[in-house]
Amino acid sequence: MSEPNIQETPIYTVLCVDDEVNILQAMKRILRKQTFNLLTAQSGAQALELMAEHDVHLIISDMKMPSMSGAEFLQQSIKIAPDCYRILLTGYADMSSTIDAVNKGHIDCYVQKPWDNNKLICTINDGLATVKLKHENARLQALVNKQNTLLKDLNHNLDEKVKLRSKQVALAMEKLKRNTLANQRVLYNFISINPNLDGGFAQSVSHLSAKLAEQLSLSDEQQAHISFAALLCEIGLLGLDTALYSKPFCELNFNQQHIFLQQSKYAEQILGPATHLRPELDIIICQFEFPDGSGPNQLSLEQIPIGAQILAVARDFWRHKLGRIGKSALSNHEAIGELKKYRGLRYTPKIIDILVQHPEIISIEFIESAIDVNDLREGMRLKKDILTQQHILVLPKGHVFSAASILQLIQYEKQKSERFEIFVEQPENEKLSAGA
């Protein structure tokens, strides 16, 4: 028997097998009003031939037949229709052989002769209901298998889409990172190339700010914002008269000092359009607010971003170190001592305490500012390798500049439209003069 159609309800076929014609005719009369097809055969051999030609769903077979008994026929029918429902007709005297046939022949039930017509019809309908249930199970199983296959394909396609999307996101993030670094470099260059400002100061403040943020166990994202904000902390000075920041703060009069502290407004004008830099801008514009509320905008400690509190300490430490606040440069210990005088007033106590308890986080020496190629002179010695943006070596550390190598570097910058970071030592003759 072929596999049941899983899309349409099959028309069931019942096969009656008996060597007595009158029994078969009686079966036809009894079952004539039923909805299934009825086939009849007078021997097991004839029945097997019919089964080879038709899908048979239920068999009713007499036990005693010449040549091939009902039990033998039902056993052989398994090879053709393994899922067929099998009913054996048997007399009382055949019970022992009937039981043996049930055990060996996969017979579902037996009916004793003479049978009750209504009970026989009920038995047949119950058998067909069992067959129908098997077909429904097969249909549902096939549907589940189909859906599982479809789901597997969908999951595979989804995995591929997720992988593709993840790759796209990674590429986008890498591009954004490159663009961000490029933007940072452009903004930093505004400071480093200004002759009245100092990129080395900005880097020193950024380094110390990052160390303080790390000691406070701030998140990586917060540390990044604070470090970059510190790098740009003096960008607002670009909007002020150079006279206001070309001499120590203590030498400014009251009105000049007030204007100096308003540099945050110019920083907001410069960085305001770059909405993605809002966290950095919030730090920069609040860097001169004091914990005691006496700053330019009189913000309370809770209103001042933690990044601005950190920046204020790192910035003024280096301002004291370089003589930008007082009339002379101070040592690390002296600079920290000056900050401690305003603990809780101008500077947040917990940040001052970190600097006092962990002085090792301060850079050993001031981070030098790179010089421009046009400021190179013969005899200057490179302190660091000169690399392109692709990290290709242009000149090695220790190179002593000659007129030819300086000219070569100037031409290279013009051709490649690339500005190098150049860190140099003083010419040997200047060192000798200084020593004398």
Side-chain angles (χ1 to χ4, degrees), residues 178-194:
R178 290 197 302 270
N179 290 340
T180 299
L181 292 174
N183 291 337
Q184 290 179 358
R185 182 57 189 262
V186 167
L187 291 170
Y188 171 68
N189 283 347
F190 283 141
I191 296 172
S192 62
I193 66 175
N194 188 300

Side-chain angles (χ1 to χ4, degrees), residues 102-320:
V102 168
N103 292 332
K104 295 180 181 179
H106 295 276
I107 296 171
D108 295 287
C109 70
Y110 65 89
V111 176
Q112 284 187 309
K113 294 180 179 179
W115 64 77
D116 179 274
N117 291 343
N118 291 329
K119 288 184 179 181
L120 178 62
I121 292 173
C122 287
T123 300
I124 293 172
N125 287 333
D126 288 344
L128 291 176
T130 300
V131 172
K132 182 179 180 181
L133 183 60
K134 288 182 179 180
H135 287 172
E136 182 64 13
N137 285 340
R139 185 188 71 82
L140 293 176
Q141 187 60 51
L143 181 61
V144 169
N145 291 340
K146 182 179 179 181
Q147 290 175 336
N148 284 341
T149 300
L150 180 60
L151 183 60
K152 185 178 180 180
D153 291 340
L154 289 174
N155 285 337
H156 176 72
N157 292 336
L158 181 61
D159 288 341
E160 292 301 316
K161 289 180 180 178
V162 169
K163 289 178 183 177
L164 177 61
R165 186 57 179 161
S166 298
K167 186 176 181 180
Q168 291 172 337
V169 169
L171 291 173
M173 290 299 292
E174 183 61 29
K175 183 177 180 181
L176 178 61
K177 183 179 178 181
R178 290 197 302 270
N179 290 340
T180 299
L181 292 174
N183 291 337
Q184 290 179 358
R185 182 57 189 262
V186 167
L187 291 170
Y188 171 68
N189 283 347
F190 283 141
I191 296 172
S192 62
I193 66 175
N194 188 300
N196 298 297
L197 296 176
D198 191 344
F201 171 81
Q203 291 193 53
S204 297
V205 174
S206 177
H207 180 271
L208 182 54
S209 295
K211 290 295 182 180
L212 291 169
E214 184 180 349
Q215 288 290 324
L216 287 171
S217 299
L218 300 183
S219 68
D220 291 344
E221 184 179 14
Q222 286 178 299
Q223 291 183 41
H225 289 317
I226 292 168
S227 177
F228 185 37
L231 198 64
L232 303 180
C233 67
E234 289 193 310
I235 198 167
L237 293 179
L238 297 174
L240 300 181
D241 187 339
T242 56
L244 293 173
Y245 53 88
S246 59
K247 55 186 176 180
F249 187 75
C250 67
E251 295 182 7
L252 301 178
N253 60 40
F254 177 81
N255 186 54
Q256 289 174 322
Q257 289 184 354
H258 176 73
I259 295 173
F260 180 89
L261 296 179
Q262 296 300 313
Q263 62 180 272
S264 300
K265 293 182 179 179
Y266 293 102
E268 187 164 17
Q269 291 178 16
I270 295 170
L271 299 178
T275 55
H276 65 288
L277 294 179
R278 190 68 223 184
E280 286 82 359
L281 182 55
D282 288 340
I283 293 171
I284 293 170
I285 62 179
C286 293
Q287 63 176 305
F288 292 106
E289 297 298 327
F290 301 146
D292 66 356
S294 62
N297 297 306
Q298 299 183 337
L299 299 181
S300 64
L301 180 61
E302 294 75 17
Q303 295 173 307
I304 304 172
I306 185 63
Q309 298 174 41
I310 291 171
L311 173 56
V313 172
R315 178 203 65 219
D316 285 356
F317 170 83
W318 279 108
R319 288 175 73 202
H320 279 298

Side-chain angles (χ1 to χ4, degrees), residues 212 216 306 309 343 347-355:
L212 291 169
L216 287 171
I306 185 63
Q309 298 174 41
R343 182 181 182 274
Y347 310 111
T348 304
K350 64 180 178 181
I351 300 174
I352 293 294
D353 294 342
I354 290 174
L355 202 58

